[in-house]
Amino acid sequence: MLAQEVVIDPFLLCLPNPCDSLDQLEDFIAALVEWHGFLDRSDTCVLLSDSARVALNDDGEFPHRHRLVKLIDKFECTFADANTISKVATSILERTPALEEYFGINAVLFKESSFEIAPSLILDRLKPKCRSAFMDDLLITGVKVDELVTSGSKACVIIASGRWNDDPAPSDIALKADIHDVGLVSTDFSLHSAPPFSLSQSIPIACSHEQLIESLDLAAIWDGASSDDGVRLSIEACIKNLISSGVDADRKSNFSIGSGFLESLHAWGANARHDYAIVTIESCARIILGIPKNPINEFRESADGNAKQRTRKDGALAFRTHLTKKGVGLRLMFWRHTDGTIEFANIGGKGELEIS
């Protein structure tokens, strides 16, 4: 699978200014925290240009720990602490390689009067230095995407942005410009379309973590069951798809991923086999929504039909259901907590007598 290339919009790292409410502050913090989980994935290449890093500093947008502390105190924010948020922001800034090096392009010369971008707010909301740097980043990215499309390759680029007050948020950035010249990092690299040429490209953008998840397919989110977060996000995406298709959300339960769930997915090949992965995701989503794909049975203390249902010390009750009926006959085991929360424990074969 191709790596997902995520280009950082400097706005993602900019504190709201002015910041007039706790909601504004929490939106900023939530965006950083949510993006950070995705940006740490092994299949994601996070890109920020050297010029954008410098511009954030020159515009006084970063570091912002001192201002963040004041805002957290002012609004009595308990959502997160300044040290954690500063570390998250710094980890994004310190990513390598730089966008210019990764795409092999260090400059794009263009006719200024030909430049068009929609929505224009994507640049207008930034301070001057950041605006100029991000415009250059978008042009570099646009030229690279155009190059991939021209050569018949697939582009997996998306812009990671922050708060968008208007509804709906844009799903892409439309970019046009007459390109005079392209500065290449290496003489070993050449463009299929030699300048001058007219650039007209759309680059996908996600202004929230939720918007990003909606733009990806389940297999991309699942990511080979490489993390609890990927598995949880896959199930949440499937839940949302089912609700969008007309399923009633009133019976939806809270859920969690048990400590042994990932290990069992890998042991039975559900991490890599597409059919196993999809049936696991859908089965979990349907159980949470109260519309199980297959009948749910009590997980008993033994194979004896009269045996007691397994109960954990915290009062959680054990259940199991079919994932597949042919071949190994995979089963899904889960706990239902006393408050109704579903905890997915493990998968196993039809003779599986253990629950994690």
Side-chain angles (χ1 to χ4, degrees):
M1 185 171 67
L2 293 174
Q4 181 70 57
E5 297 159 350
V6 180
V7 176
I8 300 296
D9 175 355
F11 189 73
L12 180 65
L13 300 166
C14 297
L15 268 174
N17 187 19
C19 186
D20 299 317
S21 68
L22 176 60
D23 286 344
Q24 270 187 291
L25 180 60
E26 288 189 340
D27 285 348
F28 165 74
I29 293 172
L32 268 184
V33 171
E34 289 173 351
W35 271 113
H36 190 252
F38 181 80
L39 299 179
D40 272 348
R41 288 165 55 117
S42 59
D43 65 339
T44 303
C45 180
V46 182
L47 301 167
L48 184 70
S49 68
D50 285 335
S51 58
R53 290 185 179 92
V54 172
L56 281 162
N57 185 272
D58 289 347
D59 277 339
E61 295 286 13
F62 200 86
H64 49 43
R65 187 183 179 284
H66 182 65
R67 286 182 291 140
L68 184 58
V69 168
K70 284 188 173 182
L71 288 173
I72 287 174
D73 289 343
K74 176 181 177 181
F75 294 112
E76 299 180 350
C77 177
T78 58
F79 189 73
D81 64 274
N83 284 335
T84 300
I85 300 308
S86 293
K87 286 178 181 177
V88 169
T90 300
S91 72
I92 295 174
L93 282 166
E94 292 177 347
R95 296 293 181 121
T96 56
L99 177 140
E100 300 97 330
E101 180 185 351
Y102 183 83
F103 283 149
I105 300 170
N106 57 22
V108 175
L109 300 180
F110 63 100
K111 185 178 180 180
E112 290 191 19
S113 61
S114 71
F115 181 80
E116 295 180 27
I117 188 168
S120 59
L121 182 61
I122 204 71
L123 291 179
D124 293 345
R125 62 185 182 173
L126 293 167
K127 289 183 180 179
K129 297 290 180 65
C130 284
R131 185 186 311 140
S132 177
F134 191 44
M135 182 171 70
D136 290 343
D137 291 356
L138 289 172
L139 284 166
I140 290 173
T141 304
V143 168
K144 185 61 180 182
V145 169
D146 193 67
E147 175 72 7
L148 290 170
V149 171
T150 302
S151 63
S153 301
K154 183 179 179 180
C156 293
V157 182
I158 192 165
I159 307 296
S161 192
R163 316 166 299 284
W164 193 270
N165 295 327
D166 294 337
D167 191 29
S171 58
D172 57 57
I173 297 172
L175 194 66
K176 291 183 179 181
D178 291 337
I179 307 302
H180 289 321
D181 199 8
V182 177
L184 302 177
V185 172
S186 171
T187 55
D188 296 332
F189 174 63
S190 60
L191 297 172
H192 284 83
S193 301
F197 61 88
S198 292
L199 174 70
S200 180
Q201 276 297 339
S202 291
I203 308 170
I205 182 172
C207 298
S208 68
H209 187 249
E210 182 181 25
Q211 190 181 5
L212 170 72
I213 295 304
E214 290 174 354
S215 73
L216 300 175
D217 61 31
L218 288 180
I221 305 168
W222 182 256
D223 187 28
S226 62
S227 68
D228 285 353
D229 195 45
V231 171
R232 178 181 57 79
L233 290 172
S234 300
I235 296 170
E236 288 179 347
C238 188
I239 289 169
K240 187 163 187 177
N241 289 341
L242 288 168
I243 292 173
S244 297
S245 68
V247 172
D248 190 349
D250 289 346
R251 297 171 62 189
K252 181 183 174 184
S253 301
N254 293 325
F255 77 98
S256 64
I257 304 299
S259 59
F261 195 56
L262 251 67
E263 183 180 351
S264 71
L265 294 173
H266 286 257
W268 288 93
N271 62 313
R273 275 192 58 164
H274 182 75
D275 53 346
Y276 283 4
I278 295 300
V279 75
T280 299
I281 295 168
E282 184 185 0
S283 295
C284 289
R286 285 182 170 275
I287 289 168
I288 292 162
L289 288 170
I291 51 166
K293 189 176 179 68
N294 292 304
I296 293 174
N297 300 305
E298 295 179 352
F299 197 133
R300 301 182 183 277
E301 293 179 351
S302 71
D304 184 348
N306 295 319
K308 291 182 178 180
Q309 184 177 14
R310 297 194 184 197
T311 306
R312 212 162 55 182
K313 289 181 179 180
D314 61 0
L317 298 175
F319 294 89
R320 63 181 174 182
T321 185
H322 286 281
L323 287 177
T324 64
K325 295 184 178 180
K326 296 181 179 180
V328 296
L330 282 179
R331 305 287 195 271
L332 168 65
M333 273 63 73
F334 65 92
W335 297 99
R336 187 183 296 276
H337 292 228
T338 54
D339 66 356
T341 297
I342 304 295
E343 177 188 332
F344 295 111
N346 59 286
I347 67 170
K350 56 187 174 184
E352 181 64 72
L353 298 176
E354 296 297 326
I355 180 169
S356 300

